[in-house]
Amino acid sequence: MTGNVGPTTSSDSQRASPEVILRLQGLTKYYGERLAVDGLTLEGRRGDVLGFLGPNGAGKTTTIRMMLGLVRPTAGEVEILGMRVDRDGRRALPHVGALVEQPALYRWLSGRANLRVVGDALGGVAERRMDEVIEIVGLRGRDKDRVDTYSLGMKQRLGIGLALLHDPDLLALDEPTNGLDPAGIAEMRSLLRHLAAADKLVFVSSHALGEVQQMCNRVAVIAAGRLIREASVEDLIRGQGLFVVAVDRAPEALAAIRARPWGETATIEADGRLVTPAPNGDSGALNLYLIGAGFTPKAMTPLTRDLEGIFLGMTGAARATAGTGDYI
């Protein structure tokens, strides 16, 4: 489903450009007695590709549907550019473009004709804007071909083009790389980064953790409807002030480090490398300490972690605490 609510009105033509485009505050949704989204509070900022991660049934799609005004929250608020969707949706939602599930395309029409049909439904979109969108999504030269001749990746890009026709500030995408081959995934990654660089917020719900790590600059992780962690990708995958050190006589070096108050949690890996904190988190200070103690490091790098492992650890612990259940 592709979505946008309407054309930008003349009163919206002089857009404010606050840093925060999306704000979820205490967002909660019950289906009967079942809690699908539990007090979710989150902000999305202009220029971000924000990955929205969670296991199946964590509440991701329900959250997006509440953002788009398709599902009414049980409690809490969704704000777009400071406007509450429940109270002022007619002004807020035209700033949002969406691709949820598969794009709804007329396969017997050309890509350009699909854009024209949606543009007409929005009250009319200039041919120049359609040209711009075709260029943005990389369909120049194929825009007059029938959609049923397009690859899956091209159809996904056309779906994003439909959502971009009215030049929204927020683009909300549910699993945009689902089913794409490696070339299509790379194209999608490049497109979303380009859109964020054009001063939009790109909000991406995805299971493709490897792609999220390459595509997004920020991530929000939910499990059982609750926000578990929100951080930059760089902060999330970087170890907590830990360093991997290759050094001769590693067991002796480990003993020396553990004797220091800052090094009590240091460990040694199976390959003989040390994983250790540093004095005040400073790698230079760690290097000087080891040299002074008679252990000259051969190599020292910050410890980084794979997003998939981090995700599984966080969501597994959260689900164990909350219990399992079928969420939407």
Side-chain angles (χ1 to χ4, degrees), residues 117-198:
V117 167
V118 172
D120 289 346
L122 293 173
V125 173
E127 203 75 18
R128 183 180 67 254
R129 177 57 185 167
M130 286 194 284
D131 289 338
E132 291 172 353
V133 168
I134 288 165
E135 192 71 39
I136 288 169
V137 300
L139 290 176
R140 175 70 63 196
R142 294 296 308 274
D143 55 299
K144 295 181 181 179
D145 295 345
R146 285 168 52 120
V147 168
D148 59 9
T149 68
Y150 284 8
S151 68
L152 180 58
M154 292 170 67
K155 291 172 184 174
Q156 286 289 88
R157 284 186 278 131
L158 178 59
I160 290 177
L162 297 175
L164 288 173
L165 271 175
H166 62 304
D167 195 19
D169 293 273
L170 166 60
L171 188 64
L173 307 174
D174 194 8
E175 302 288 352
T177 62
N178 196 29
L180 299 186
D181 61 19
I185 290 172
E187 290 172 354
M188 185 64 66
R189 183 195 313 148
S190 176
L191 171 58
L192 299 188
R193 286 176 172 172
H194 171 78
L195 292 171

Side-chain angles (χ1 to χ4, degrees), residues 62-265:
T62 295
T63 299
I64 290 178
R65 290 181 179 278
M66 287 190 285
M67 286 166 48
L68 300 178
L70 300 174
V71 170
R72 181 178 293 276
T74 305
E77 302 171 3
V78 177
E79 288 186 2
I80 309 294
L81 293 170
M83 296 173 282
R84 281 184 53 168
V85 168
D86 59 341
R87 294 179 180 174
D88 204 5
R90 289 189 176 183
R91 286 205 309 135
L93 290 173
H95 294 279
V96 183
L99 177 62
V100 181
E101 300 169 349
Q102 295 298 314
L105 304 174
Y106 297 100
R107 296 175 180 271
W108 61 91
L109 297 179
S110 69
R112 180 176 288 271
N114 271 267
L115 291 171
R116 187 174 291 112
V117 167
V118 172
D120 289 346
L122 293 173
V125 173
E127 203 75 18
R128 183 180 67 254
R129 177 57 185 167
M130 286 194 284
D131 289 338
E132 291 172 353
V133 168
I134 288 165
E135 192 71 39
I136 288 169
V137 300
L139 290 176
R140 175 70 63 196
R142 294 296 308 274
D143 55 299
K144 295 181 181 179
D145 295 345
R146 285 168 52 120
V147 168
D148 59 9
T149 68
Y150 284 8
S151 68
L152 180 58
M154 292 170 67
K155 291 172 184 174
Q156 286 289 88
R157 284 186 278 131
L158 178 59
I160 290 177
L162 297 175
L164 288 173
L165 271 175
H166 62 304
D167 195 19
D169 293 273
L170 166 60
L171 188 64
L173 307 174
D174 194 8
E175 302 288 352
T177 62
N178 196 29
L180 299 186
D181 61 19
I185 290 172
E187 290 172 354
M188 185 64 66
R189 183 195 313 148
S190 176
L191 171 58
L192 299 188
R193 286 176 172 172
H194 171 78
L195 292 171
D199 230 17
K200 300 184 185 300
L201 166 63
V202 181
F203 186 94
V204 181
S205 170
S206 180
H207 292 90
L209 300 179
E211 279 310 308
V212 165
Q213 186 166 335
Q214 297 182 65
M215 180 191 305
C216 301
N217 66 307
R218 300 194 66 79
V219 293
V221 181
I222 67 168
R226 302 189 191 108
L227 181 67
I228 305 302
R229 180 78 187 276
E230 190 270 332
S232 71
V233 171
E234 181 181 357
D235 285 346
L236 200 60
I237 66 175
R238 189 171 54 208
Q240 302 297 310
L242 299 177
F243 296 88
V244 180
V245 183
V247 64
D248 289 332
R249 298 161 32 228
E252 296 175 43
L254 178 65
I257 290 171
R258 282 183 168 175
R260 312 302 299 176
W262 49 265
E264 293 175 350
T265 61

Side-chain angles (χ1 to χ4, degrees), residues 238-245 262 265-267 274-278 281 283 286 300-305:
R238 189 171 54 208
Q240 302 297 310
L242 299 177
F243 296 88
V244 180
V245 183
W262 49 265
T265 61
T267 59
L274 303 179
V275 177
T276 177
S283 61
L286 176 60
M300 181 184 301
T301 58
L303 175 67
T304 59
R305 300 173 295 173

